[in-house]
Amino acid sequence: MVRAGITPDLLVQAAAEMADENGFDKVTVSALARRFGVKDASLYSHIRNLRDLRVRLALLATAEMNEAIGAAVAGRSGKDALVAFADAYRDYALAHPGRYTATQQRIEPAEVADTAAFRRSVELTYGMLRGYGLAEPDITDAGRLLRSTFHGYIHIELSGGFAHSRPVAASWARSLDALHDLLENWA
């Protein structure tokens, strides 16, 4: 029986809030059921299982991040686009750490291949990198470099790992300068 007022979208939104409040690993079907004051079983008419919920959460977060990045890079190219892209990416991750973590989980390509969020993410990244004159296979390699650099930096920042007196934002800006130089001179 479908509980009145509960929808898949409402469940995913609540899961996103829980992820930001308590951490992505704390998002469970049981925790979500408690939040709605229902039994676990009543949620299975809206989601298949925990994996389904977590993939939906990742897609929601990806769509939100895409919206922020798309707005930031609109009308920009080259270094301006790179900095706008990276800053929007980092700002989203710092503001929504649980949702951001959801976007980093291993998801099989078949689970997201037909989703607008996945396609938009690729379009934004490739569009920004085409401004550097890159084409395949270099564009894929450069995209992986950016993602791993951004994620590594953000992961360390979120865990409090940058304890040096130099402001973290200053180091971030210098990192983006270095990435721009590298992309400008991609071999």
Side-chain angles (χ1 to χ4, degrees):
M1 175 176 177
V2 176
R3 174 111 175 163
I6 296 178
T7 65
D9 290 342
L10 186 63
L11 290 176
V12 174
Q13 187 61 46
E17 292 166 10
M18 287 174 60
D20 287 340
E21 293 164 6
N22 307 315
F24 176 70
D25 60 326
K26 302 286 193 243
V27 175
T28 65
V29 174
S30 294
L32 197 55
R34 282 192 302 277
R35 189 174 184 120
F36 282 95
V38 299
K39 295 197 180 297
D40 296 13
S42 64
L43 299 186
Y44 290 111
S45 60
H46 305 287
I47 56 171
R48 287 188 302 276
N49 50 37
L50 178 60
R51 176 71 183 161
D52 179 42
L53 175 65
R54 288 184 169 181
V55 169
R56 289 177 189 226
L57 173 51
L59 292 171
L60 169 74
T62 299
E64 291 174 346
M65 187 182 286
N66 288 343
E67 187 174 321
I69 291 170
V73 301
R76 299 175 189 266
S77 64
K79 184 176 181 183
D80 288 341
L82 171 65
V83 170
F85 185 107
D87 285 347
Y89 186 104
R90 179 172 169 249
D91 290 347
Y92 183 86
L94 296 177
H96 302 287
R99 295 174 205 213
Y100 174 73
T101 300
T103 69
Q104 300 305 307
Q105 68 182 308
R106 171 80 174 126
I107 297 177
E108 295 302 321
E111 292 177 289
V112 296
D114 294 330
T115 65
F118 176 75
R119 283 191 309 277
R120 181 69 174 141
S121 182
V122 172
E123 289 167 2
L124 287 167
T125 303
Y126 280 33
M128 186 267 297
L129 289 171
R130 279 190 206 99
Y132 285 98
L134 299 179
E136 287 297 355
D138 294 329
I139 206 163
T140 294
D141 296 339
R144 288 174 175 167
L145 171 68
L146 293 181
R147 181 177 179 211
S148 59
T149 302
F150 297 166
H151 176 67
Y153 196 99
I154 291 163
H155 179 74
I156 294 169
E157 186 175 5
L158 283 171
S159 66
F162 292 131
H164 192 274
S165 62
R166 180 164 169 74
V168 174
S171 296
W172 175 254
R174 290 292 291 145
S175 297
L176 297 180
D177 289 343
L179 287 171
H180 168 69
D181 289 346
L182 181 133
L183 291 169
E184 282 273 296
N185 298 292
W186 194 268

